[in-house]
Amino acid sequence: MSHTQMLYVCMNVAIIAPNVPALYEAHFGIPMSGAVLNTVNIRLNASTIAFLLGHSKSAVVFVDQEFFTLAEDALKIMKEKSQGNFKHPLLIVIADESCDPKALRYALGKGAIEYEKFLESGDPEFAWKPPQDEWQSIALGYTSGTTASPKGVVLHHRGAYLMSLSNPLIWGMTEGAVYLWTLPMFHCNGWCFTWSLAALCGTNICLRQVTAKGVYSAIAKYGVTHFCGAPVVLNTIVNAPPEDTILPLPHVVRVMTAGAAPPPAVLSAMSQKGFRVTHTYGLSETYGPSTVCAWKPEWDSLPPETQARLNSRQGVRYIGLEGLDVISTKTGQPVPADGKTIGEIVMRGNVVMKGYLKNPKVNEETFANGWFHSGDLGVKHSDGYIEIKDRSKDIIISGGENISSVEVENSMYLHAAILEASVVARADERWGESPCAFVTLKPGVDKSDEQRLAEDIMKFCRSKMPAYWVPKSVVFGPLPKTATGKIQKHVLRAKAKELGPVKLSKL
Amino acid sequence: MSHTQMLYVCMNVAIIAPNVPALYEAHFGIPMSGAVLNTVNIRLNASTIAFLLGHSKSAVVFVDQEFFTLAEDALKIMKEKSQGNFKHPLLIVIADESCDPKALRYALGKGAIEYEKFLESGDPEFAWKPPQDEWQSIALGYTSGTTASPKGVVLHHRGAYLMSLSNPLIWGMTEGAVYLWTLPMFHCNGWCFTWSLAALCGTNICLRQVTAKGVYSAIAKYGVTHFCGAPVVLNTIVNAPPEDTILPLPHVVRVMTAGAAPPPAVLSAMSQKGFRVTHTYGLSETYGPSTVCAWKPEWDSLPPETQARLNSRQGVRYIGLEGLDVISTKTGQPVPADGKTIGEIVMRGNVVMKGYLKNPKVNEETFANGWFHSGDLGVKHSDGYIEIKDRSKDIIISGGENISSVEVENSMYLHAAILEASVVARADERWGESPCAFVTLKPGVDKSDEQRLAEDIMKFCRSKMPAYWVPKSVVFGPLPKTATGKIQKHVLRAKAKELGPVKLSKL
């Protein structure tokens, strides 16, 4: 199979829904009908949804009742832009008793078919269609707006199958696991856990909305054994008010986290509460996490801070991933395993996407020299574990030296008043760029004197890191996030740009 | 891939060894060198080994020092039969400190190369060879003499990979499992657990010889979490004298058993001692077990005897097996799922062998209509679980009615004096065939009056089964077994033949 071919999919079915049972069912029913499943991020706006429904040519759209008007708006935009060529997709609305019944009535009034009625109209004798070729597409998911134009990641049956089997193997999941859906299923098919749970005869607990209270009560009520979440989800759990928690936990709960490296302070706090955190890393293009920071027995006896530091590494490849390396962006050769030399993280093998839909040029760049180029920068340690230092575009270059925004953030999370921190490059008259920190404070922190707080934070940073790493600017306020809880650094970079360059006088 | 093509393998390396580390290493080193691994059953005689070394054209032979003269004898036979064409393979002897040093000196004196020296002569920079095609052969194993001429089962990388991942998933094995090698690695590559353990970063505990004492002390000493064994191994453990056991077990130990359906009495006794028995079923042709009697939560509250009866079913397919069915031997159509209609168990998919080596005619029969024909007869229950009733050739046809020898045996195992029982057809002047039971008694049973014992057993059987199932003959003595502990019914059938037909007068 060549990754650089022009990719099309034959028949696309889109679904716009939070973590409800119908979305889980769609992961089976749609591929079994021979179509490709296109899960849509519910937090996108109507015009972006219009773009991707058009780009994927989705012939059928399933939509949760709460998001019906969003879908309606998207279809309106498509129609307006179509110049008379618009073909209205089959529209199916998913009812949910926990939602406002008016929304359902509205949808039905607009001619949408109710989901259960739609299922009843099916042929119970329908012979499901196994893929004719295991490289056939199973799912399509659009990357969520950290770049200007969403790209359609096309996944194949072979990769989805192997990732589904790899997930439980690297995470101690056994038959009958009880999995809580905190991770959106629309995000890279819930990292393929949708299919893993079926392979394990496990139980799926669906959550429409993720709150600390919802997570703790599901653990107590349903015996949840496993859930996944971006570091910000962990943050929510760690900083939940006591009345929302149920502690001590009735049993060990395993949590998988991915995305950015979770700050050691958060990892440590989770561990103290009895959550066993497994840190993984991957991308939508690799079916979700495809590397894991495999815990070594000899780490058991280390101090908690050292444990957290080691556990924030991105680790080693999943069993289903054939190749993983860190290569020099200049020479294309593997970097030495010295824990210092930064290169780009690259992957290859079964759990790497087919390519981006209808995007041969980007595919060619992305798969240059037979590797999938992640765009993440990292190092290789002597034990073979990789560790992300930054996204290519997140690295801060100050006076010609690289500053890892992730490392600055990790140190900042140790500050008692900081709930969340994100560091980006800000133009700097003297150094070219310097770190600019955006910070959310913990509830209860006195926010009256921001100047004093900022100085205190900078002082704290000076005690933890080289002087040139210390943020020259600290900005307070809520952080912009994607639907999956990733902090949108491109928004912060835009804000940093608005601030203008750090003046020479500031030194 | 067609299963019926003429199968050859390019380069074969044979190894004749009990469960020692070198045999485990061979499962990696030999395929990584690009060769095919041929594991040889150590309990075969020299002429059979001569046949299969010749048939497989093994260019290199590794042999454990204890079995050196066996290999030597086999090579002598090959030379004698070769009419001058014999090419002596490279002979490498594996030393073991626990064995008689004379045997090693003898082997070295005969020019064999010592294993560790051989490894030292290798190139540490050698780039291992991944398979160019995943259907490439990885291993060859000969079926162990239940038929006249051994057939060479050729396994491919794809199947071995998927079986290695399926094993832990159906058996609750997680990272760091401690696996005890009671099952011979030479038997179907230890059901692929050789590779599973590597995938799990597990620990392998090797046992040269399986004794109850050895098993119990390994559990206590090394924290064994899992081991496999034919039902006769379970029998040994259950009937071990108290001084050989360490009970209660220090932790739950999971035991996988396969081969013939384990008698419910044995399953029940294992469970009472704290072993958690998983019952699986498969053949060398399906990479070892490929179906599992998946335990249902609702079985937890059933009486132990009902649990054991349900757990003696062969179950449902492994995740890696694509197709499993029971089909009518007359029509080729699936039998109804009524728990009664007997048909042949058939499989297809990734974990089915490539075919038998150099045996296109048998391959054609074995893979007729796209299914692998197991030769085992069974039924399908309404919940989809299959249950073996007998091997095709083991079924007893009495007065035109089928008698499942397995079911007769299962009932006999409930008798307090019976250690092992095996039932075969004996010619019968009135009924054509009738059941003939071969029985081994438990230690301590008074064996002085065999006639009375036989009558007591028959009386016991009459209380448990239809009259025509009751063995008309009961013969006492040790049972002949294959290297893997399977009772050799063909030997018993020959003995039954020697007894002559059951006379009409006996009624």
Side-chain angles (χ1 to χ4, degrees):
Chain A
M1 193 206 57
S2 161
H3 289 291
T4 52
Q5 68 202 12
M6 183 66 177
L7 267 177
Y8 293 99
V9 290
C10 47
M11 160 78 169
N12 245 300
V13 175
I15 177 161
I16 308 167
N19 284 343
V20 292
L23 179 51
Y24 188 79
E25 291 165 9
H27 278 81
F28 298 85
I30 293 171
M32 287 166 92
S33 76
V36 174
L37 169 68
N38 175 15
T39 50
V40 179
N41 184 333
I42 52 174
R43 286 175 223 155
L44 297 176
N45 59 27
S47 68
T48 308
I49 294 178
F51 167 80
L52 61 86
L53 291 182
H55 188 257
S56 66
K57 296 200 196 313
S58 290
V60 185
V61 177
F62 289 80
V63 59
D64 179 88
Q65 65 173 79
E66 189 182 338
F67 300 90
F68 185 79
T69 53
L70 180 66
E72 204 183 18
D73 291 348
L75 293 172
K76 248 180 238 163
I77 295 168
M78 287 172 77
K79 195 173 178 184
E80 282 162 20
K81 288 194 177 170
S82 69
Q83 302 170 320
N85 273 329
F86 179 66
K87 202 179 158 228
H88 200 287
L90 181 64
L91 199 57
I92 295 152
V93 62
I94 302 158
D96 191 324
E97 284 179 6
S98 73
C99 295
D100 185 352
K102 267 184 270 174
L104 179 62
R105 278 200 300 273
Y106 176 81
L108 297 175
K110 290 284 186 167
I113 306 167
E114 194 273 321
Y115 177 68
E116 294 296 338
K117 280 228 172 104
F118 171 75
L119 292 189
E120 277 166 25
S121 72
D123 172 10
E125 300 300 315
F126 177 79
W128 71 277
K129 294 182 185 168
Q132 290 188 297
D133 174 328
E134 62 198 33
W135 297 105
Q136 193 175 306
S137 306
I138 187 171
L140 168 67
Y142 284 82
T143 54
S144 60
T146 51
T147 51
S149 173
K151 285 176 292 192
V153 174
V154 182
L155 305 182
H156 45 73
H157 277 263
R158 182 179 165 104
Y161 179 96
L162 290 171
M163 180 52 91
S164 302
L165 299 195
S166 294
N167 272 332
L169 287 175
I170 66 96
W171 198 24
M173 278 180 112
T174 56
E175 201 184 307
V178 181
Y179 182 83
L180 179 67
W181 280 102
T182 44
L183 177 75
M185 285 185 225
F186 63 69
H187 182 53
C188 191
N189 308 106
W191 300 348
C192 296
F193 277 101
T194 39
W195 300 303
S196 295
L197 266 288
L200 287 170
C201 302
T203 302
N204 293 279
I205 309 294
C206 292
L207 264 190
R208 270 191 89 88
Q209 269 191 315
V210 180
T211 59
K213 194 172 182 175
V215 170
Y216 277 105
S217 69
I219 291 169
K221 192 168 173 190
Y222 302 110
V224 167
T225 56
H226 294 76
F227 68 91
C228 298
V232 280
V233 173
L234 273 54
N235 226 342
T236 307
I237 290 165
V238 164
N239 294 298
E243 64 273 20
D244 285 355
T245 70
I246 297 171
L247 288 170
L249 295 175
H251 52 267
V252 173
V253 178
R254 301 193 67 152
V255 184
M256 181 182 283
T257 187
V266 174
L267 281 178
S268 194
M270 286 293 284
S271 159
Q272 278 160 29
K273 291 200 194 307
F275 294 97
R276 205 157 144 200
V277 178
T278 299
H279 177 216
T280 60
Y281 155 74
L283 307 95
S284 297
E285 289 86 341
T286 63
Y287 295 74
S290 56
T291 77
V292 55
C293 183
W295 189 264
K296 297 187 178 185
E298 57 266 36
W299 294 354
D300 284 342
S301 55
L302 297 175
E305 284 209 1
T306 313
Q307 287 182 338
R309 184 177 53 74
L310 289 167
N311 202 16
S312 72
R313 291 180 180 180
Q314 277 63 33
V316 292
R317 63 190 174 81
Y318 272 38
I319 189 86
L321 184 68
E322 187 195 338
L324 171 71
D325 213 337
V326 181
I327 61 173
S328 160
T329 49
K330 283 172 199 156
T331 67
Q333 292 304 303
V335 301
D338 58 7
K340 285 180 202 162
T341 314
I342 289 183
E344 185 178 16
I345 297 169
V346 291
M347 289 98 155
R348 69 175 160 215
N350 291 313
V351 295
V352 171
M353 67 165 178
K354 275 172 102 158
Y356 298 112
L357 186 68
K358 294 184 275 184
N359 215 337
K361 196 176 158 290
V362 175
N363 285 341
E364 207 166 307
E365 290 160 14
T366 306
F367 287 105
N369 302 315
W371 284 106
F372 165 70
H373 292 259
S374 71
D376 288 323
L377 298 178
V379 299
K380 220 170 9 177
H381 289 281
S382 56
D383 58 3
Y385 282 50
I386 61 161
E387 183 175 357
I388 293 188
K389 290 296 178 182
D390 232 323
R391 290 286 303 171
S392 307
K393 57 184 173 300
D394 291 344
I395 204 102
I396 301 161
I397 304 168
S398 191
E401 297 287 337
N402 287 344
I403 301 172
S404 157
S405 63
V406 175
E407 290 196 27
V408 177
E409 290 157 10
N410 283 348
S411 295
M412 292 183 75
Y413 271 95
L414 298 170
H415 189 287
I418 292 179
L419 178 69
E420 286 174 339
S422 185
V423 175
V424 299
R426 178 177 170 190
D428 190 298
E429 290 186 349
R430 178 165 188 151
W431 301 108
E433 290 180 357
S434 65
C436 173
F438 290 84
V439 167
T440 313
L441 296 166
K442 283 189 185 163
V445 173
D446 176 11
K447 298 175 183 100
S448 57
D449 189 350
E450 289 196 345
Q451 178 65 24
R452 198 191 53 75
L453 270 167
E455 276 166 16
D456 182 64
I457 288 169
M458 286 190 241
K459 190 179 156 202
F460 178 83
C461 288
R462 272 193 292 275
S463 73
K464 297 279 175 191
M465 59 187 79
Y468 72 101
W469 288 23
V470 175
K472 292 214 168 49
S473 346
V474 177
V475 184
F476 297 98
L479 301 181
K481 285 175 196 162
T482 68
T484 56
K486 281 190 205 163
I487 293 165
Q488 290 174 300
K489 287 209 166 175
H490 68 287
V491 176
L492 296 178
R493 265 192 293 274
K495 283 193 184 181
K497 205 169 177 185
E498 283 169 22
L499 295 175
V502 178
K503 301 284 174 200
L504 267 173
S505 61
K506 206 169 175 194
L507 297 162
Chain B
M1 193 204 58
S2 162
H3 289 291
T4 53
Q5 69 201 13
M6 183 67 178
L7 268 177
Y8 293 100
V9 290
C10 47
M11 161 79 167
N12 243 301
V13 176
I15 177 160
I16 307 168
N19 283 344
V20 293
L23 180 50
Y24 187 79
E25 290 165 10
H27 278 81
F28 297 85
I30 293 171
M32 286 166 92
S33 76
V36 174
L37 168 67
N38 175 15
T39 50
V40 179
N41 184 333
I42 53 174
R43 285 173 223 155
L44 297 175
N45 59 27
S47 68
T48 308
I49 293 178
F51 166 80
L52 61 86
L53 292 182
H55 188 258
S56 66
K57 295 198 194 318
S58 289
V60 185
V61 177
F62 290 81
V63 59
D64 179 87
Q65 64 174 79
E66 189 183 337
F67 300 90
F68 184 79
T69 54
L70 180 66
E72 203 182 19
D73 291 348
L75 293 171
K76 249 181 237 162
I77 295 169
M78 288 172 78
K79 195 174 180 182
E80 281 162 19
K81 290 194 176 168
S82 69
Q83 302 171 318
N85 274 329
F86 179 68
K87 202 181 160 226
H88 201 289
L90 181 64
L91 200 57
I92 294 151
V93 63
I94 302 156
D96 191 323
E97 285 180 5
S98 72
C99 296
D100 185 354
K102 269 185 271 176
L104 180 61
R105 281 199 299 274
Y106 176 81
L108 298 174
K110 289 285 188 167
I113 306 165
E114 194 271 321
Y115 176 70
E116 294 295 339
K117 280 226 171 105
F118 171 75
L119 291 189
E120 277 166 24
S121 72
D123 172 10
E125 299 298 317
F126 176 79
W128 72 277
K129 294 182 184 166
Q132 291 189 294
D133 175 328
E134 62 196 31
W135 297 104
Q136 194 174 305
S137 306
I138 185 170
L140 169 67
Y142 284 82
T143 54
S144 61
T146 51
T147 51
S149 171
K151 285 174 292 189
V153 174
V154 182
L155 304 183
H156 45 73
H157 276 264
R158 182 179 165 104
Y161 179 95
L162 289 172
M163 182 52 91
S164 302
L165 299 196
S166 295
N167 273 331
L169 287 176
I170 65 97
W171 199 23
M173 279 180 110
T174 56
E175 201 183 307
V178 180
Y179 182 84
L180 179 67
W181 280 102
T182 45
L183 177 75
M185 284 184 228
F186 62 69
H187 181 53
C188 188
N189 309 105
W191 301 348
C192 297
F193 277 102
T194 39
W195 299 304
S196 295
L197 266 289
L200 287 171
C201 302
T203 302
N204 292 279
I205 309 295
C206 291
L207 264 190
R208 268 192 90 87
Q209 270 191 314
V210 180
T211 60
K213 195 174 180 170
V215 170
Y216 278 105
S217 69
I219 291 169
K221 194 169 172 189
Y222 302 110
V224 168
T225 55
H226 294 77
F227 68 89
C228 299
V232 282
V233 173
L234 272 54
N235 226 342
T236 308
I237 290 165
V238 164
N239 294 296
E243 64 272 21
D244 286 356
T245 69
I246 296 170
L247 288 170
L249 295 175
H251 52 267
V252 173
V253 178
R254 300 194 68 153
V255 184
M256 182 182 284
T257 187
V266 173
L267 282 178
S268 193
M270 287 292 285
S271 158
Q272 277 159 31
K273 289 198 195 310
F275 293 98
R276 203 156 146 200
V277 178
T278 299
H279 177 217
T280 59
Y281 155 75
L283 306 96
S284 298
E285 290 86 340
T286 63
Y287 295 75
S290 55
T291 76
V292 56
C293 184
W295 188 266
K296 296 186 179 184
E298 57 265 36
W299 295 355
D300 284 343
S301 55
L302 297 174
E305 285 209 1
T306 313
Q307 287 182 339
R309 182 176 55 74
L310 288 168
N311 202 16
S312 72
R313 292 181 180 180
Q314 277 64 35
V316 292
R317 62 191 175 79
Y318 272 39
I319 190 88
L321 184 66
E322 186 195 340
L324 170 70
D325 213 336
V326 181
I327 60 172
S328 161
T329 49
K330 284 171 201 156
T331 66
Q333 292 304 305
V335 301
D338 58 7
K340 286 179 200 163
T341 314
I342 289 182
E344 185 178 16
I345 297 168
V346 292
M347 289 101 152
R348 69 176 161 212
N350 291 312
V351 296
V352 170
M353 66 167 178
K354 273 172 106 158
Y356 299 112
L357 187 67
K358 296 184 272 187
N359 215 336
K361 198 178 156 290
V362 175
N363 284 342
E364 206 165 309
E365 290 161 15
T366 305
F367 287 104
N369 302 315
W371 284 105
F372 165 69
H373 292 259
S374 72
D376 288 324
L377 299 178
V379 298
K380 222 174 2 178
H381 289 281
S382 57
D383 59 2
Y385 282 49
I386 62 161
E387 184 175 358
I388 293 187
K389 290 299 175 177
D390 231 324
R391 291 285 301 170
S392 306
K393 55 183 175 302
D394 291 345
I395 204 104
I396 301 161
I397 303 169
S398 191
E401 297 287 337
N402 287 343
I403 301 173
S404 157
S405 65
V406 174
E407 290 197 26
V408 177
E409 290 157 8
N410 283 349
S411 294
M412 293 184 74
Y413 271 96
L414 297 170
H415 190 285
I418 292 178
L419 179 68
E420 286 173 341
S422 186
V423 175
V424 298
R426 179 179 169 190
D428 188 298
E429 289 185 349
R430 179 165 185 151
W431 302 109
E433 290 179 359
S434 65
C436 173
F438 291 84
V439 166
T440 313
L441 296 165
K442 285 188 182 162
V445 172
D446 176 10
K447 299 178 182 96
S448 58
D449 189 350
E450 289 197 344
Q451 180 63 26
R452 198 191 51 75
L453 269 168
E455 277 166 17
D456 182 63
I457 288 168
M458 285 191 242
K459 191 180 153 199
F460 179 81
C461 288
R462 273 193 291 276
S463 74
K464 296 280 175 191
M465 59 186 79
Y468 72 101
W469 288 25
V470 175
K472 292 214 169 45
S473 345
V474 177
V475 184
F476 297 98
L479 301 181
K481 286 177 196 157
T482 68
T484 55
K486 280 189 209 166
I487 295 165
Q488 291 174 298
K489 288 211 166 175
H490 71 286
V491 176
L492 296 179
R493 264 190 293 274
K495 283 193 184 181
K497 205 170 178 183
E498 283 169 24
L499 295 174
V502 178
K503 300 285 175 198
L504 266 174
S505 61
K506 210 179 169 187
L507 296 163

